Amino acid sequence: MKDQSVEQIDKALDQFRIEIPSWGFANTGTRFGKFIQDAAATTTAEKFADAGEVFRLTGITPTVAIHVLWDMPNGLDDVPVIRGLERKYGVRAGSIKPNLFEAQEYKFGSIANPSAEIRQMAIQHMLDSVEIAKGLESRDLSIWVSDGSNYPGTQSVRRRIRWMEEAMSATHAALGPNQRMLIEYKPFEPAFYHTDIADWGMAMLLCQASGAKAKVLVDTGHHLQGTNIEQIIAWLIEKDGFGGLHLNDRKYADDDLTLGSIDPYQLFRIFAEILSAGAKADSAAVMIDQSHNLKGKMEAMIQSVVTAQELYARAALIDFKRLAELQDACRLVEAEECFRSAFWTDVRPATRAWRGRRGLAADPLQELAASGYVERTGRERRERNRQSTATYA
Ligand code: LRH
Ligand code: MN
């Protein structure tokens, strides 16, 4: 590989960081079953321990996303606990995600619920989450709501828009000077007729109604078949509405498969769009959002981090200056070859060397296997995990 390419990869890898989800280490499933793993994390401390091990092995995951009610059952009172775990395991709390689903009260919605009392309950949880983010010096409040309906004619979509705008504006007003709120959209599930924040346009309009600190979060699993996700990201970057990414992969719907497992070229195209924007996309939060139902939790997380790192390195090999000339000259085949040849490039030797020069294991997955970490945590956690129930109904 040309020295110039190695330099490009090194420069890209020096700045590439990816946030990992605390829930990626927990026992999760689908409505058809949850398959318990002995080494799965149940407590917040175990989730931070696993996140710390992923950071030790990869060097590029300094923050872990927090889902408030899953990781901080005592809310604001758990801030000192999280601070202690940060010190113990060497990873920081990253984006803060309120839980605006699951509670019985949210049957007909949270911030879009026809009941003003329930909307106030949801708003209070978002305001508490803002205070938690301040307590943990986290930049991003990351909001996803499952709000919607299952049958035509059963809810007023327009009134629900107004209620959401009220809730999002109230939350935006509470943000600190360096904080942002990210609004995540999803076309369906768990609602199957209409979802209140179903696509990027709805999320963008809600951001504009909330204020300048509100940006759109793009979850790669939240698009109808055939949607051009990198085009959506191009629009959001161009219109200063791009807040960040939740990465995973899917064949059909929000399948929660590990990133790059089904369509690695799509993630390459997404990273290429972000890199081509330079500083305009610098503040984008890049996060993994996966639940690992069948693969080993630690293996799946490390495999995903390494895969994202390698696809980012490939995208960084694109000669964007030359590409722009070929694009505007409509020299199609040359432009495609200039773009795609980077994807064909095997960056693994250069990425292994980058890790080696930073005292990191050349192959984090191999190092995990050699470390016996999963076997050890499996022995420690087996008893509790085998007690946990796995039935849906
Ligand atoms: C919703 C979602 C959201 C999280 C959840 C774990 O599908 O993508 O980002 O709150 O997964
Ligand atoms: Mn998500």
Side-chain angles (χ1 to χ4, degrees):
M1 182 180 280
K2 298 197 306 294
D3 291 356
Q4 190 231 343
S5 301
V6 172
E7 275 157 38
Q8 271 173 277
I9 291 172
D10 274 8
K11 189 162 160 290
L13 296 184
D14 283 346
Q15 61 167 7
F16 183 70
R17 295 296 177 272
I18 188 163
E19 181 163 296
I20 54 180
S22 65
W23 52 95
F25 298 113
N27 274 318
T28 51
T30 71
R31 57 185 167 168
F32 301 108
K34 178 196 296 193
F35 303 100
I36 304 301
Q37 295 184 20
D38 288 348
T42 306
T43 66
T44 306
E46 289 169 349
K47 293 169 185 173
F48 266 77
D50 292 354
E53 184 66 6
V54 172
F55 187 38
R56 184 182 74 79
L57 290 169
T58 66
I60 62 168
T61 60
T63 60
V64 55
I66 301 284
H67 233 303
V68 173
L69 296 187
W70 295 343
D71 303 321
M72 303 175 72
N74 307 307
L76 209 46
D77 298 344
D78 281 340
V79 165
V81 176
I82 299 291
R83 297 255 89 155
L85 294 174
E86 290 178 326
R87 285 190 296 277
K88 184 171 182 185
Y89 295 110
V91 283
R92 294 286 316 281
S95 60
I96 304 298
K97 293 182 67 61
N99 287 63
L100 295 164
F101 49 93
E102 287 179 314
Q104 292 304 307
E105 291 86 350
Y106 295 150
K107 181 176 182 180
F108 303 118
S110 62
I111 59 175
N113 192 300
S115 154
E117 190 194 345
I118 291 174
R119 294 199 300 274
Q120 193 46 48
M121 170 186 165
I123 292 170
Q124 189 51 54
H125 180 57
M126 290 211 282
L127 296 177
D128 294 347
S129 301
V130 169
E131 294 317 306
I132 285 171
K134 286 176 181 168
L136 294 171
E137 296 164 86
S138 291
R139 176 186 70 171
D140 293 338
L141 180 80
S142 179
I143 302 167
W144 173 69
V145 296
S146 60
D147 293 33
S149 69
N150 278 358
Y151 302 98
T154 60
Q155 287 291 308
S156 163
V157 172
R158 284 187 294 106
R159 285 197 294 282
R160 293 171 74 96
I161 292 169
R162 289 177 226 139
W163 295 330
M164 289 194 293
E165 288 183 341
E166 284 165 18
M168 293 295 193
S169 302
T171 304
H172 187 282
L175 293 174
N178 309 319
Q179 289 189 304
R180 306 186 309 170
M181 57 189 272
L182 306 181
I183 299 181
E184 183 177 1
Y185 57 87
K186 184 174 181 176
F188 68 93
E189 189 209 34
F192 293 105
Y193 166 62
H194 102 281
T195 292
D196 289 291
I197 311 177
D199 68 19
W200 71 279
M202 299 176 198
M204 185 69 165
L205 291 171
L206 268 178
C207 286
Q208 291 171 343
S210 305
K213 296 175 187 158
K215 305 290 181 186
V216 178
L217 178 63
V218 177
D219 186 313
T220 51
H222 293 181
H223 300 86
L224 300 177
Q225 288 290 332
T227 302
N228 185 325
I229 300 175
E230 59 270 23
Q231 180 187 12
I232 291 172
I233 291 170
W235 269 88
L236 290 170
I237 291 172
E238 203 52 30
K239 300 303 175 183
D240 193 24
F242 183 54
L245 291 168
H246 269 184
L247 298 177
N248 45 67
D249 214 334
R250 48 63 158 293
K251 180 120 185 66
Y252 303 104
D254 192 15
D255 308 349
D256 257 343
L257 303 179
T258 46
L259 63 87
S261 61
I262 302 293
D263 187 354
Y265 192 43
Q266 174 181 263
L267 184 50
F268 170 86
R269 299 194 306 268
I270 287 172
F271 282 149
E273 192 58 49
I274 292 170
L275 282 164
S276 72
K280 281 190 74 124
D282 264 357
S283 62
V286 178
M287 300 173 271
I288 290 174
D289 180 5
Q290 294 168 188
S291 298
H292 304 119
N293 301 333
L294 301 181
K295 286 181 176 180
K297 317 281 179 187
M298 288 294 289
E299 295 87 343
M301 193 71 84
I302 289 173
Q303 181 194 38
S304 300
V305 169
V306 168
T307 303
Q309 188 180 37
E310 291 171 357
L311 286 167
Y312 188 82
R314 290 178 194 213
L317 284 176
I318 298 170
D319 179 344
F320 289 105
K321 186 171 170 306
R322 174 164 166 64
L323 180 63
E325 289 156 8
L326 294 168
Q327 288 170 332
D328 295 354
C330 298
R331 290 158 61 179
L332 305 186
V333 173
E334 292 165 276
E336 185 180 35
E337 288 310 312
C338 172
F339 182 84
R340 201 173 52 181
S341 60
F343 179 70
W344 298 140
T345 307
D346 184 356
V347 299
R348 290 173 293 184
T351 310
R352 292 166 70 89
W354 178 88
R355 294 189 192 108
R357 285 194 293 278
R358 284 154 188 75
L360 296 163
D363 183 327
L365 264 178
Q366 224 171 50
E367 185 68 16
L368 174 73
S371 73
Y373 182 86
V374 175
E375 291 69 23
R376 175 170 61 76
T377 51
R379 286 191 299 277
E380 293 163 2
R381 302 171 185 179
R382 168 183 305 137
E383 239 15 75
R384 180 161 354 101
N385 278 318
R386 292 190 180 178
Q387 269 143 29
S388 64
T389 57
T391 58
Y392 162 63

